Amino acid sequence: MKAMLGCICFLVVSAWAQESVVATDRTLYLQSDIEGLHVSIDDIPRGITTQGGILKLDVADEIGTGGFGFHKLVVHKEINATHEYYAEREFKYKPYEPIHMSKDTLQPRLKKALLAKQNGLLQSVQLQHRFASKMAMDERFIYVLSQSRSNVYSTQKREPRDAEYLEIYDKKTLSLVYEMLLNTDDADSFDRDILLHQGYLYVVSKNGKVLFWETKKLLSSSPKELLTPTKELNRLRGFGAYLFRFGKGGMVEIYHRNVHVKSIDTKKQRFKGYETLEDKRFDRIFDVLYVDNTLFVANDLGEVQVYALGSQPKESSFITTLRDTNAQAAYDVLALALYEKQTLFVGTDGHGLVLYDTKTLRALTSLPNIPKNRVHDMHVWDDTVLLTQGLDLPHLYRYDLQQKKITHDFQGEAKEVMDFEISDEKLYTLDDGHVYVWNVKLKEEGQ
């Protein structure tokens, strides 16, 4: 099957807006050359387009957070049994701009259910709560970190209170096994994590509080709390006997058997040329990877810092910085992965996928036929790399490392890919309200 390398370009700010058609903070002007598009805002039908006509759409309510609110526009028209016109745009905390839609900017698409089946969708399950950010799985269960929200644009997603939950599903049947309330004062954020490691399940929230259970006793025991010297570190990775906690402030904490053994302040290391950056931020670490007593740390300065930890994490030393010396500005390094025990894959925001040798720490030849933009998350599996490009995009690409090309795009039902896992030759993806199960070895078109 041919890979789908981009999103449908469906809404374009138009030059047709004149002084008489100027958006206000509460008004959207929508012109369409396509007759019969059904238009809704925040799940409420607002009209049907006429050919060349202009719809004036007033939005009086502030839904969501921020002074302007958080609203969603959806347009839809069925063409036939298999295809439709469909587009959606979210407006976050800013006034509307006039929009012009035509057959050039709004292309017919295969209906979502048909597209998902064609792309290998096997099963799906709707979660108990419509916002979810992270998941993990073992041989028995799928663990999902979800949220309820009382103040959102979608009536379908509003719930009576704000809270955070752990949802547990049977991996074979996808039926709900257990729902656990974690936090009744949950903030509107996906900045949290969940991790299965060394027989424990860890859950970390935006406030940095880390709870953990023995997985064998999860359904029958209360959680313990990890003693953490630094607050607001909300990401976790586990390698061998060690647990790594990181996030804001450039700090990495290292734990051995759930006991803190060392903290590394990565802000103490500055690459040559840091002083010339216009943006001298250093606020966030996005990912870490630990292999052969070497720790790789990805941050928001466009770099991967390298540390030698030695046989004991307390014995650590800075080695070097991996960075594109031609880059004149800071950018986010979002994801790290290891291939064939020696090739470091580095996913970036705006610079695509970069490769290094973990032994020599030298840059390797880049992979061809990968979009040179955002790599938000990735997993290396069976001579392929699976990667996503962002939280607002429905695409999860499978790149064949032998053929050196994208061979599949797992998309259809999901609106975005929040997290994903591979298990038993199946791909599990998480969007804001569902878990989807895909055939990860779906053959290419023509095979």
Side-chain angles (χ1 to χ4, degrees):
M1 179 176 295
K2 295 180 181 178
M4 298 172 215
L5 297 180
C7 303
I8 295 175
C9 185
F10 48 74
L11 294 179
V12 176
V13 175
S14 173
W16 60 269
Q18 305 295 327
E19 288 187 4
S20 59
V21 186
V22 177
T24 68
D25 283 355
R26 295 288 176 257
T27 305
L28 166 67
Y29 290 94
L30 185 150
Q31 183 185 44
S32 173
D33 296 334
I34 303 173
E35 184 177 4
L37 290 173
H38 292 258
V39 181
S40 65
I41 296 179
D42 303 332
D43 302 328
I44 301 173
R46 298 297 302 273
I48 302 174
T49 62
T50 58
Q51 188 171 9
I54 298 175
L55 285 178
K56 179 182 178 182
L57 304 167
D58 294 320
V59 182
D61 297 330
E62 291 187 6
I63 301 175
T65 57
F68 175 67
F70 186 2
H71 306 280
K72 178 183 279 188
L73 167 77
V74 174
V75 298
H76 173 266
K77 179 184 178 181
E78 182 173 304
I79 299 173
N80 52 40
T82 59
H83 286 77
E84 64 184 356
Y85 289 116
Y86 183 89
E88 61 182 51
R89 173 177 283 187
E90 293 179 350
F91 294 87
K92 300 180 181 180
Y93 325 133
K94 60 183 179 181
Y96 296 123
E97 296 289 344
I99 294 172
H100 182 198
M101 286 178 288
S102 69
K103 291 183 179 179
D104 292 330
T105 60
L106 185 61
Q107 300 292 326
R109 74 170 192 180
L110 192 65
K111 290 182 178 179
K112 289 174 65 177
L114 294 175
L115 179 61
K117 185 177 180 180
Q118 175 180 293
N119 284 338
L121 182 65
L122 301 173
Q123 293 174 275
S124 66
V125 59
Q126 183 171 318
L127 302 175
Q128 300 300 298
H129 304 282
R130 297 300 299 272
F131 290 89
S133 52
K134 294 291 181 180
M135 71 175 177
M137 62 181 60
D138 55 25
E139 65 280 0
R140 297 182 302 161
F141 299 128
I142 302 171
Y143 307 88
V144 178
L145 200 55
S146 68
Q147 303 168 69
S148 62
R149 295 186 190 170
S150 60
N151 194 19
V152 294
Y153 65 82
S154 172
T155 56
Q156 297 176 347
K157 296 181 180 181
R158 294 178 201 165
E159 297 189 53
R161 63 175 176 175
D162 297 320
E164 183 179 33
Y165 300 86
L166 175 64
E167 300 182 30
I168 304 176
Y169 293 85
D170 184 279
K171 191 176 176 182
K172 292 182 179 179
T173 65
L174 298 184
S175 58
L176 180 68
V177 174
Y178 193 71
E179 179 188 51
M180 183 184 302
L181 176 64
L182 297 174
N183 183 1
T184 57
D185 187 24
D186 190 47
D188 178 9
S189 172
F190 291 114
D191 208 358
R192 42 179 55 83
D193 215 343
I194 185 170
L195 174 70
L196 281 166
H197 183 62
Q198 298 285 301
Y200 292 95
L201 177 72
Y202 301 86
V203 171
V204 54
S205 296
K206 183 181 179 182
N207 60 12
K209 185 177 182 179
V210 182
L211 302 178
F212 67 98
W213 300 256
E214 288 186 54
T215 53
K216 293 180 179 180
K217 302 178 181 179
L218 175 62
L219 303 181
S220 60
S221 63
S222 299
K224 298 179 182 179
E225 186 173 349
L226 198 69
L227 297 179
T228 56
T230 307
K231 300 299 182 183
E232 295 186 359
L233 298 184
N234 38 42
R235 302 302 303 276
L236 292 174
R237 295 289 185 272
F239 301 97
Y242 298 108
L243 179 71
F244 297 86
R245 180 171 172 258
F246 54 96
K248 295 181 179 180
M251 298 298 299
V252 178
E253 292 180 355
I254 305 173
Y255 297 81
H256 183 263
R257 302 189 187 280
N258 296 323
V259 177
H260 179 261
V261 293
K262 185 175 180 61
S263 294
I264 298 176
D265 186 354
T266 64
K267 297 190 301 298
K268 293 181 178 180
Q269 308 300 331
R270 301 296 194 192
F271 59 88
K272 186 178 180 180
Y274 169 80
E275 295 77 11
T276 65
L277 291 178
E278 292 184 6
D279 181 3
K280 292 185 175 59
R281 60 181 174 170
F282 198 116
D283 182 55
R284 184 172 293 277
I285 294 171
F286 291 102
D287 204 359
V288 304
L289 188 145
Y290 180 59
V291 57
D292 295 334
N293 295 328
T294 304
L295 177 66
F296 298 88
V297 181
N299 63 30
D300 61 355
L301 281 174
E303 65 178 14
V304 178
Q305 291 186 351
V306 186
Y307 294 83
L309 296 190
S311 58
Q312 298 295 329
K314 290 184 178 181
E315 303 167 2
S316 64
S317 60
F318 175 73
I319 298 176
T320 190
T321 293
L322 307 180
R323 190 175 192 276
D324 181 0
T325 56
N326 295 319
Q328 300 299 314
Y331 58 89
D332 294 339
V333 180
L334 296 167
L336 301 174
L338 187 67
Y339 176 58
E340 292 188 333
K341 299 182 180 180
Q342 193 167 336
T343 302
L344 178 68
F345 285 10
V346 180
T348 72
D349 187 0
H351 296 257
L353 188 61
V354 184
L355 278 60
Y356 292 91
D357 187 302
T358 60
K359 303 298 184 184
T360 65
L361 302 180
R362 292 180 178 177
L364 302 174
T365 303
S366 61
L367 296 171
N369 304 314
I370 286 184
K372 297 295 184 182
N373 45 19
R374 199 170 199 252
V375 176
H376 179 265
D377 194 9
M378 61 181 166
H379 294 304
V380 175
W381 175 81
D382 195 23
D383 286 328
T384 64
V385 57
L386 296 157
L387 56 93
T388 63
Q389 291 185 287
L391 296 182
D392 295 325
L393 297 173
H395 304 280
L396 192 158
Y397 299 117
R398 184 181 70 194
Y399 182 93
D400 190 295
L401 294 167
Q402 302 299 320
Q403 301 182 59
K404 292 184 169 52
K405 66 177 184 178
I406 290 176
T407 58
H408 197 68
D409 180 4
F410 298 94
Q411 62 129 343
E413 286 290 340
K415 295 180 179 178
E416 56 188 346
V417 182
M418 303 298 300
D419 199 6
F420 66 98
E421 296 284 346
I422 308 158
S423 178
D424 301 327
E425 297 193 348
K426 292 180 181 179
L427 171 66
Y428 297 77
T429 65
L430 179 72
D431 81 346
D432 62 359
H434 300 81
V435 172
Y436 296 100
V437 187
W438 308 80
N439 178 5
V440 74
K441 284 196 169 182
L442 195 69
K443 290 184 179 180
E444 291 182 68
E445 205 171 68
Q447 288 188 344

